[in-house]
Amino acid sequence: MKKILFFSCFILIACSSKPQQKPLEAQEIQATSGEIILLGKINLANLQTSSVTPWFNKAFDQVAIDNQKAKDLKPFTKDLKIKVFMGSWCSDSKRELPPFFKMLAAMDFDQDHLEMFAMSEEKTTPSNFEKGLEIYKIPTIIFFKNGEEINRFVELPVTTLESDIQKIITGAAYTHSYAF
């Protein structure tokens, strides 16, 4: 009887866990600098598995965030959509994206509500995903509720990444580093 109960619990857990994300078909191209970069629509799995982004997993594993603070933000993620514009070549993206994704993981944020775009050194994408969004610095992380932009994080934190994200998704006053 214990074996049946154990096996039933195992099957239930295995069937209820969310399948792991698969990398999208992103381009790997030689940038004007000569470096090989990612280009186009990507996802977290691309950052975790691409030979172009070996920095991601190492930084993700090493970064420490306040897990409780992140978990406390979960109720504010209802109806939240996020667009991330980054560069696999960009030092600011390399610095900010690992803790950003660690925060999202602690919030149990649904990756289906996040779109990410790897940009060229000229801050463009092949399909012009950036059109009309005023992407001048990267990373730029745009937060949307009900289809409307509520705020954005641009390149570097005003205070800390965690604090800036908290202000943005809770609706507190926040102005990014390059707001005029």
Side-chain angles (χ1 to χ4, degrees):
M1 183 66 174
K2 287 182 182 180
K3 287 182 181 180
I4 293 172
L5 183 60
F6 173 77
F7 186 69
S8 297
C9 288
F10 176 77
I11 295 296
L12 181 64
I13 291 169
C15 292
S16 65
S17 63
K18 191 169 181 169
Q20 197 140 33
Q21 201 176 41
K22 290 183 172 45
L24 298 177
E25 293 291 326
Q27 297 177 37
E28 290 185 8
I29 65 158
Q30 187 170 11
T32 53
S33 67
E35 181 179 358
I36 302 299
I37 64 169
L38 286 177
L39 190 62
K41 189 170 185 175
I42 63 171
N43 59 23
L44 178 58
N46 289 97
L47 293 178
Q48 294 169 324
T49 61
S50 175
S51 62
V52 176
T53 55
W55 49 267
F56 183 81
N57 289 327
K58 182 178 181 186
F60 184 90
D61 291 342
Q62 290 177 346
V63 72
I65 63 159
D66 184 336
N67 282 316
Q68 189 56 52
K69 184 185 240 184
K71 287 176 185 174
D72 291 345
L73 295 174
K74 182 161 178 58
F76 296 96
T77 65
K78 184 179 181 340
D79 301 321
L80 187 69
K81 306 276 190 221
I82 302 173
K83 286 188 181 184
V84 177
F85 292 87
M86 57 81 66
S88 61
W89 49 269
C90 170
S91 61
D92 297 311
S93 294
K94 291 176 182 181
R95 182 189 64 240
E96 302 301 340
L97 289 185
F100 173 70
F101 278 102
K102 195 155 231 184
M103 276 188 75
L104 292 184
M107 288 188 275
D108 196 27
F109 186 79
D110 185 349
Q111 291 292 315
D112 291 338
H113 296 249
L114 182 138
E115 289 184 293
M116 184 165 35
F117 307 96
M119 304 188 84
S120 70
E121 292 168 321
E122 295 76 32
K123 298 182 191 67
T124 60
T125 59
S127 298
N128 293 315
F129 292 111
E130 70 281 3
K131 187 175 181 181
L133 294 174
E134 300 180 19
I135 308 299
Y136 303 113
K137 304 277 186 182
I138 55 175
T140 294
I141 305 170
I142 309 174
F143 298 83
F144 297 88
K145 278 218 175 173
N146 303 317
E148 297 290 322
E149 180 178 337
I150 58 170
N151 216 323
R152 61 177 60 198
F153 171 93
V154 180
E155 191 178 31
L156 50 100
V158 173
T159 310
T160 66
L161 178 72
E162 289 177 79
S163 175
D164 289 13
I165 300 301
Q166 179 182 20
K167 287 176 184 174
I168 290 170
I169 68 174
T170 61
Y174 175 79
T175 305
H176 66 77
S177 299
Y178 295 95
F180 299 96

